[in-house]
Amino acid sequence: MLSPSTLSRFVAIVTLAACLSACNDQENPTTVTPQLRKTIAYTKLTDTTTYANFFVDDAGVKTVDLTTGANRLLMFRAINTYNGTAVGTGATLDANVLKNMFSNTGSPFSGTANTALNTSGVQLRNVTASSLSATDAEKERQTIEASFPKIATASQSVSAVASEGKAGKLGTYLVDAQGIEYGQIIQKGLIGAFQVDYIGNVLLSEKNLALDNTTLVAGKKYTQLEQNWDEIYGILTANPIYGAKATATSSGESFVGSYIWEYNKDDFPKIYSALLKGRAAIVNNDKTVLKEQAAFIHLAMEKAIANAALGYLGKWKTAGTNTAAAAHAMGEGLGFIYSLRYATLNKADAAFSDSVLAGLISSSNGFWGLTNAKIDAASAAIRTKFNIPG
């Protein structure tokens, strides 16, 4: 049995140890809670909050790194710009250059803004269709790559006027012998296979929203969950504030970020708030709010591409005798219809997408064989699948 004096000393030691532990826990809250950062009040987030600068650790050091997403967006832009040189300068395109850009091999990127992409360590190919099985993903990547020799071949006829069975230009648009504008097929195909699939079906998947948010990535100031959300931001926009440059006639954005503005007007003004709130929810370990913002962004992209597909089918009809406008509308429409296979929230898939495409251009003359009946059937199928009123 302890003597009174010994018992007193023991109690004092235990009390001191408890105090030291408590004091240490207050200075290093990660020892008692998985939340790494101070809680952010959602009311502090406004339309003028700058995403990249707002989120910091408790020492005031920025935790946002947009580099990976921004580089992927630059690669997408570089592919699109290269394809545009055929019409812009009369250049003949090289399918191998496009393939190398897609996979970031052979140092394909040039120019002041893009040279660093060659050594960035990222690419588009391995994140394209990446929600699918390895076999199905490779099939879709090869589908994208199959468009590269087609636009390259068409570019050899850039000085000719296109007609049925003959590649060339219709107005300012380069088409192949079937009247298909492969520059639009590639661009809109990557909006779906890269942006919508990688953002919506991979980075915003339930699995990835549950990634470790208690441990910093080695040598970095962010967790893997924080970095994934930052990659989404970088892929979606190059602007410090998404949507801030929008006007009555321009989105101020590009690719899927722009088509949300054009074909999902209701959601466009809410996207930036969702991006901010989702990032704050990660800081707060608020899974409920995080999942709400993720679901909103994901569905907003799917609504945009479905409405865009319908919109361009409609533009084919309203083009009338303006063949160039009709071909351009159909190039965009076909690219978006291909992309619908990645609209998983609406239970679309490759079988649905391919069936709609086949109904439109399965005939040997492609664009030249389109009819109002084919357009109407495709539109009806999309409206039914996506529950869009007629």
Side-chain angles (χ1 to χ4, degrees):
M1 180 174 180
L2 297 174
S3 67
S5 60
T6 302
L7 180 60
S8 177
R9 287 196 300 272
F10 177 75
V11 170
I13 291 170
V14 171
T15 301
L16 176 61
C19 178
L20 290 173
S21 177
C23 292
N24 185 58
D25 288 347
Q26 289 170 4
E27 293 172 1
N28 302 285
T30 56
T31 61
V32 292
T33 172
Q35 188 167 316
L36 288 174
R37 325 280 185 211
K38 293 176 182 176
T39 297
I40 295 174
Y42 298 125
T43 54
K44 290 185 176 180
L45 305 172
T46 71
D47 290 342
T48 59
T49 300
T50 303
Y51 183 98
N53 296 333
F54 182 82
F55 299 100
V56 297
D57 63 19
D58 290 354
V61 178
K62 294 179 185 178
T63 62
V64 172
D65 185 346
L66 303 177
T67 305
T68 298
N71 282 339
R72 294 196 203 277
L73 182 59
L74 284 171
M75 289 174 177
F76 191 179
R77 285 182 170 177
I79 288 173
N80 194 58
T81 298
Y82 179 74
N83 283 337
T85 62
V87 170
T89 67
T92 298
L93 303 180
D94 186 333
N96 287 325
V97 170
L98 284 167
K99 191 171 183 179
N100 287 343
M101 283 182 170
F102 188 43
S103 61
N104 193 12
T105 55
S107 298
F109 299 103
S110 60
T112 303
N114 291 335
T115 301
L117 295 175
N118 295 317
T119 55
S120 64
V122 300
Q123 58 173 279
L124 294 188
R125 195 182 195 279
N126 66 350
V127 294
T128 293
S130 53
S131 72
L132 305 179
S133 68
T135 299
D136 289 342
E138 183 59 24
K139 177 183 176 182
E140 298 303 337
R141 291 162 189 165
Q142 289 180 10
T143 295
I144 297 290
E145 289 172 330
S147 295
F148 300 160
K150 290 180 179 179
I151 192 174
T153 299
S155 72
Q156 296 171 10
S157 302
V158 71
S159 60
V161 176
S163 59
E164 186 171 349
K166 181 181 177 183
K169 285 197 299 185
L170 288 175
T172 58
Y173 309 117
L174 176 68
V175 301
D176 74 349
Q178 289 188 309
I180 306 299
E181 188 184 2
Y182 272 95
Q184 292 300 325
I185 300 296
I186 293 167
Q187 183 194 116
K188 272 55 181 187
L190 284 174
I191 283 176
F194 161 46
Q195 289 185 308
V196 174
D197 187 61
Y198 185 50
I199 292 175
N201 298 327
V202 178
L203 296 177
L204 294 179
S205 67
E206 185 173 349
K207 174 184 176 182
N208 278 317
L209 290 177
L211 286 175
D212 177 32
N213 194 41
T214 64
T215 307
L216 297 182
V217 174
K220 304 297 182 180
K221 297 295 184 180
Y222 48 72
T223 68
Q224 188 59 58
L225 186 56
E226 288 175 323
Q227 172 56 195
N228 280 7
W229 198 267
D230 295 344
E231 185 172 1
I232 290 168
Y233 191 94
I235 290 171
L236 190 61
T237 181
N239 292 322
I241 296 177
Y242 173 83
K245 295 183 178 181
T247 66
T249 57
S250 172
S251 68
E253 300 294 341
S254 60
F255 305 125
V256 75
S258 178
Y259 284 100
I260 295 172
W261 171 82
E262 188 173 358
Y263 285 101
N264 188 357
K265 296 287 190 186
D266 290 340
D267 290 340
F268 178 75
K270 305 171 188 175
I271 294 292
Y272 189 57
S273 175
L275 289 165
L276 287 173
K277 198 170 184 180
R279 186 60 159 76
I282 293 171
V283 171
N284 297 344
N285 278 339
D286 187 342
K287 295 294 186 181
T288 299
V289 170
L290 175 60
K291 289 179 180 179
E292 288 172 352
Q293 307 319 303
F296 174 78
I297 294 167
H298 191 175
L299 186 58
M301 291 190 298
E302 290 197 6
K303 288 180 182 177
I305 64 171
N307 284 325
L310 288 172
Y312 286 109
L313 288 173
K315 287 181 180 181
W316 178 90
K317 295 182 75 172
T318 58
T321 58
N322 187 337
T323 305
H328 182 57
M330 189 47 52
E332 298 201 67
L334 293 173
F336 276 120
I337 292 168
Y338 165 80
S339 287
L340 295 182
R341 71 190 60 222
Y342 301 105
T344 58
L345 295 180
N346 285 278
K347 302 189 186 311
D349 56 17
F352 168 77
S353 173
D354 288 342
S355 69
V356 177
L357 289 171
L360 288 167
I361 55 167
S362 58
S363 61
S364 60
N365 56 350
F367 161 79
W368 303 101
L370 286 170
T371 63
N372 282 336
K374 289 181 179 181
I375 297 294
D376 290 343
S379 297
I382 294 168
R383 289 187 185 281
T384 299
K385 174 63 73 175
F386 288 83
N387 195 28
I388 300 173

